[in-house]
Amino acid sequence: MKSDHMLVVAVAVAAMVSLGAAMTASGQGFVAPGTTKKGPGARTWLAERAKLPPYSPPRMADGTPNLEGRWGGSSSGDDVEETEQVDPTTPPWESYVSNPANGRIPYQAWALAERNRHRAGLARGVAGETGERLYTDPQTYCLKSVPRYAQRGFELIQTPGYVTQMLVWGHYHRRIPLDNRSRPGADAKFWMGVPRGRWDGDALVVESTNFNGKMWLDSVGNFVSPNVRITERFALVEANTLDYEVTIDDPGVFTQPWTLSYRLRRQGAGGGGGGAARDPYANEGWEHACHEGNTNHIDGTQHLGFKWFTPVVPPRP
Amino acid sequence: MKHWLPLIAALACTPAVLAGQAAPPAYTPPRTPNGQPDIQGIWQVLNTAAWDIQDHNASLDVPAGRGVVEGNDIPYRPEALEKKKQNYASRATLDPETKCWLSGVPRITYMPYPFQIVQQADKVNILYEYNHTLRHIYMNGNPHPEGPIDWWMGDSRGRWEGNTLVVDVVHFTDQTWLDRAGNFHSEQLHVVERYTPAGPNHMLYEVMIEDPKVFTRPWKMSMPLYRRVESEAEVLEYECYAYLIEENWNKR
């Protein structure tokens, strides 16, 4: 039964979120059954992308490129730099950072120390931790931001004047106006920021500002400040592959703008399972209530002494 | 869901219901590229149903208002009316809104936040500002999946009746309320919503509520939905549980 199956998945996801802290206690990347396999890291994907023949995407009725579809996740990784090893004999996965070429986030010295402080206080039992319980990944409270929302995929749809993204995870949605409208004042801050989109040739470019800086980029303490400007570039590079490039510009925190590169695959493309032909509900996105079952995790992390993460404000130059 | 059909049919033919129904608006909405009536855009109610769906006077932080319930009376079973009164008395702690849970249907519609409707060929999506709630109303021919399923927002299946979007919603939890005044339902809730374009910037929103465990008969709400006509109107965010977790954390 589809419903039984979905209930099991819902319970599993809820358990994963609520036990997030515990599951990472081993220090190993935790991949829930059925979640997206890791896509290629940045270096591999850029090399693959360079070999692709030129591709002209299909068009919407109004002539804009048609990027619609259900797109699989950017990664199941919990570390955008993929520095962690699953075990001592296995090399780390490849970083999703494409620029700089060394795959490392170009933090200013103070900011790297701050990131390392977050990491040392995760209390997961891995080497280098202080043992202090500092912060837990805010995503374990069912929260998202940019670009982390893309981690487990989304459906993208285009209607006049808007691009809309819809997630199953946590019932998030993102409404991206394309009419070059104004932005809220800089003091108005949002968890998901405020996006503004435009077409640049065949690519959709989304620039987001007005972030509150309370969300991490991953589960190991990588962060941005509330001053960040995040530019996402979506381009169809073949029928079932969306190139997803994210540039993070936050001069108070980093020495240069830096870029994440992901390959997103169309859901159902190339996989087995039979899709809608076998299960008429296969293309439906059923409710993922998250916060509603998360009380024990919230109470538990508070009880253990973890603090609420407050935004990092860069020192004045 | 076969067993609901006779009830819906019976309700549709009840003179009391027809009497309260507004005359069908003589407005023809534009069409989407798929040929559906186009009800896309940003909408919001302008009433006090979020506080109390029935007639009520004002009190501190509560604006007075006429209710949205047809005839004003809600046909509670006797024991359910007792529970409603207890809910009201303890609403400061019992109201699920104070926990920032998903609000359920139809409560999400008349909370004081805008929502955006985005249509596709096989579903109508409603993107609510409150708690980034996302609702898919499937119009792909699939019936409700087999229950029982406890979903906060239920399972929504839609169809067009002329220019009216009719949505049948089942598979609810018993954890959501209908307003801040303690009006409630059980997991047997069955909701039928009707979204009828009444002009370029208005829709009529009608709701049939049926729940044999709590009410003695089906009953109805109705209210207008107003398009947010500001040139840069936008659904922003109300991240209820994020604010709640942070506030409670800092109180410890």
Side-chain angles (χ1 to χ4, degrees):
Chain A
M1 295 314 299
K2 174 75 178 183
S3 55
D4 294 340
H5 167 70
M6 289 306 291
L7 283 173
V8 170
V9 171
V11 168
V13 171
M16 189 186 73
V17 170
S18 60
L19 296 175
M23 294 307 251
T24 51
S26 65
Q28 301 183 359
F30 171 67
V31 181
T35 54
T36 318
K37 281 195 291 189
K38 285 190 185 193
R43 189 176 305 169
T44 300
W45 169 230
L46 292 187
E48 281 179 23
R49 195 180 70 181
K51 288 183 208 150
L52 292 172
Y55 180 77
S56 183
R59 304 276 152 181
M60 304 292 292
D62 67 358
T64 52
N66 182 347
L67 309 185
E68 288 195 329
R70 294 186 304 121
W71 297 101
S74 54
S75 74
S76 61
D78 291 320
D79 175 355
V80 296
E81 296 176 304
E82 292 287 355
T83 53
E84 291 196 304
Q85 291 177 258
V86 172
D87 66 65
T89 62
T90 308
W93 197 258
E94 194 174 271
S95 174
Y96 293 98
V97 178
S98 56
N99 174 33
N102 68 4
R104 294 292 164 260
I105 299 172
Y107 284 108
Q108 296 177 19
W110 72 268
L112 181 61
E114 180 67 13
R115 192 284 307 270
N116 289 341
R117 190 178 73 92
H118 302 163
R119 192 168 291 186
L122 288 168
R124 298 177 305 160
V126 302
E129 290 183 345
T130 60
E132 180 197 5
R133 291 171 179 145
L134 188 54
Y135 307 117
T136 45
D137 173 12
Q139 183 171 277
T140 67
Y141 308 119
C142 307
L143 297 163
K144 281 283 187 194
S145 190
V146 180
R148 213 171 166 190
Y149 74 87
Q151 191 177 337
R152 293 192 195 282
F154 52 85
E155 179 169 11
L156 186 149
I157 57 180
Q158 297 167 228
T159 50
Y162 278 97
V163 169
T164 302
Q165 292 172 300
M166 304 185 291
L167 279 68
V168 172
W169 197 98
H171 46 84
Y172 270 90
H173 51 78
R174 205 157 168 240
R175 311 132 319 275
I176 305 165
L178 303 174
D179 59 0
N180 198 30
R181 65 177 61 188
S182 66
R183 292 177 183 276
D187 289 343
K189 298 297 192 186
F190 300 86
W191 278 89
M192 289 286 286
V194 175
R196 300 288 182 248
R198 60 187 161 82
W199 292 101
D200 176 16
D202 287 345
L204 171 68
V205 176
V206 181
E207 291 191 41
S208 299
T209 56
N210 297 75
F211 288 98
N212 67 12
K214 295 181 180 183
M215 188 63 197
W216 287 358
L217 292 171
D218 55 26
S219 69
V220 290
N222 286 308
F223 70 100
V224 294
S225 86
N227 305 323
V228 69
R229 173 178 287 256
I230 300 181
T231 304
E232 300 163 88
R233 190 179 176 87
F234 302 85
L236 206 57
V237 291
E238 53 185 12
N240 295 320
T241 306
L242 193 64
D243 181 43
Y244 179 49
E245 196 176 82
V246 185
T247 299
I248 295 181
D249 187 5
D250 194 348
V253 175
F254 307 109
T255 60
Q256 63 168 90
W258 57 282
T259 304
L260 293 155
S261 293
Y262 295 104
R263 183 196 71 181
L264 308 185
R265 294 282 289 160
R266 196 182 292 279
Q267 271 183 10
R278 185 171 301 176
D279 176 358
Y281 295 100
N283 293 330
E284 298 191 359
W286 287 2
E287 180 173 285
H288 174 223
C290 184
H291 168 68
E292 289 71 10
N294 210 25
T295 308
N296 287 348
H297 172 65
I298 298 167
D299 292 350
T301 46
Q302 279 188 282
H303 180 75
L304 287 170
F306 287 98
K307 298 173 183 63
W308 179 256
F309 177 69
T310 49
V312 179
V313 180
R316 289 189 178 279
Chain B
M1 298 319 305
K2 277 188 206 126
H3 60 291
W4 290 116
L5 291 174
L7 286 165
I8 299 167
L11 182 74
C13 299
T14 305
V17 172
L18 291 176
Q21 210 162 32
Y27 168 72
T28 304
R31 301 272 147 179
T32 67
N34 299 310
Q36 301 171 359
D38 190 340
I39 58 170
Q40 297 183 105
I42 300 173
W43 302 90
Q44 192 167 346
V45 299
L46 189 56
N47 62 33
T48 60
W51 286 271
D52 192 336
I53 55 177
Q54 293 175 289
D55 295 343
H56 58 276
N57 55 263
S59 54
L60 190 62
D61 289 333
V62 180
R66 296 299 302 267
V68 295
V69 177
E70 195 171 275
N72 195 46
D73 288 326
I74 300 176
Y76 280 107
R77 294 183 173 279
E79 66 280 8
L81 185 60
E82 271 315 299
K83 186 176 175 194
K84 190 269 171 181
K85 288 175 181 167
Q86 290 164 14
N87 286 349
Y88 181 81
S90 303
R91 63 193 183 283
T93 52
L94 290 187
D95 181 357
E97 187 186 351
T98 65
K99 302 168 176 67
C100 295
W101 290 339
L102 287 165
S103 337
V105 178
R107 188 178 185 180
I108 188 72
T109 310
Y110 45 77
M111 292 185 71
Y113 305 89
F115 54 86
Q116 185 163 357
I117 297 180
V118 181
Q119 291 173 238
Q120 290 174 277
D122 64 344
K123 60 183 185 284
V124 173
N125 309 289
I126 311 188
L127 290 61
Y128 301 92
E129 186 169 278
Y130 181 80
N131 255 346
H132 55 262
T133 306
L134 172 61
R135 211 176 140 203
H136 302 300
I137 298 166
Y138 286 103
M139 309 181 67
N140 55 9
N142 285 341
H144 290 297
E146 191 177 328
I149 306 174
D150 281 13
W151 274 330
W152 294 82
M153 298 298 293
D155 181 76
S156 297
R157 305 281 150 178
R159 66 183 188 276
W160 293 101
E161 279 184 13
N163 294 324
T164 300
L165 173 65
V166 182
V167 188
D168 197 276
V169 200
V170 294
H171 297 335
F172 287 103
T173 79
D174 61 358
Q175 299 292 304
T176 59
W177 284 10
L178 297 172
D179 59 18
R180 293 173 182 162
N183 285 305
F184 75 105
H185 60 83
S186 80
E187 75 287 347
Q188 290 184 28
L189 175 66
H190 171 216
V191 174
V192 180
E193 299 171 284
R194 298 175 62 89
Y195 298 81
T196 305
N201 298 319
H202 298 87
M203 278 199 284
L204 176 64
Y205 178 65
E206 299 167 287
V207 190
M208 189 281 297
I209 302 280
E210 182 177 50
D211 184 343
K213 208 164 154 183
V214 176
F215 309 114
T216 58
R217 57 172 171 82
W219 53 281
K220 229 188 103 189
M221 293 186 235
S222 69
M223 65 197 80
L225 302 177
Y226 298 84
R227 186 188 295 278
R228 292 285 300 263
V229 299
E230 300 94 319
S231 62
E232 296 192 338
E234 182 170 12
V235 169
L236 293 167
E237 66 179 29
Y238 184 80
E239 302 293 89
C240 187
Y241 56 81
Y243 315 138
L244 181 71
I245 297 169
E246 180 170 1
E247 181 171 309
N248 287 344
W249 210 290
N250 294 332
K251 275 184 196 159
R252 282 176 79 100

